[in-house]
Amino acid sequence: MNAWLGGFQSVLNRMTVDNFNWFLHSMLFIHTQRVIKRQKEKEKKGEDEEEEDEEGIEIEEEEE
C-alpha cells in the first residue's frame, strides 16, 4: 500500500494535517475491504475445489 500511496506524494505533501489523516484513514479502509474481499474469494474458490475433489472420489468408489 505504501508504494501505491507514493503515487499521490505531490498531492499529499500539500494537504493539511487533518486532510492527510482523513485521506490516509479512507485509503486504509478501502484497502482493507479489498483485501478481505480477495481472501473470501480465494477461500470460496478453495471450497469449490474441495467439493469437486470429494465428488470425484465418490464417483470412483461407486464404480469399483
Side-chain angles (χ1 to χ4, degrees):
M1 184 170 159
N2 286 334
W4 181 69
L5 285 174
F8 297 97
Q9 185 172 359
S10 62
V11 175
L12 296 174
N13 287 340
R14 291 181 271 152
M15 286 186 177
T16 63
V17 172
D18 291 331
N19 285 346
F20 176 81
N21 286 336
W22 177 84
F23 179 81
L24 190 59
H25 175 77
S26 299
M27 291 298 107
L28 285 170
F29 179 76
I30 292 169
H31 177 72
T32 302
Q33 286 183 326
R34 287 182 175 181
V35 169
I36 291 170
K37 182 181 176 184
R38 282 190 304 238
Q39 287 175 341
K40 286 181 180 179
E41 288 171 354
K42 186 176 180 180
E43 183 178 292
K44 175 72 174 153
K45 183 179 177 185
E47 288 174 0
D48 290 344
E49 289 175 357
E50 286 178 13
E51 288 175 7
E52 290 174 4
D53 290 344
E54 289 174 4
E55 289 173 3
I57 291 170
E58 291 173 9
I59 293 170
E60 288 175 9
E61 290 174 358
E62 290 174 6
E63 290 176 0
E64 294 177 6

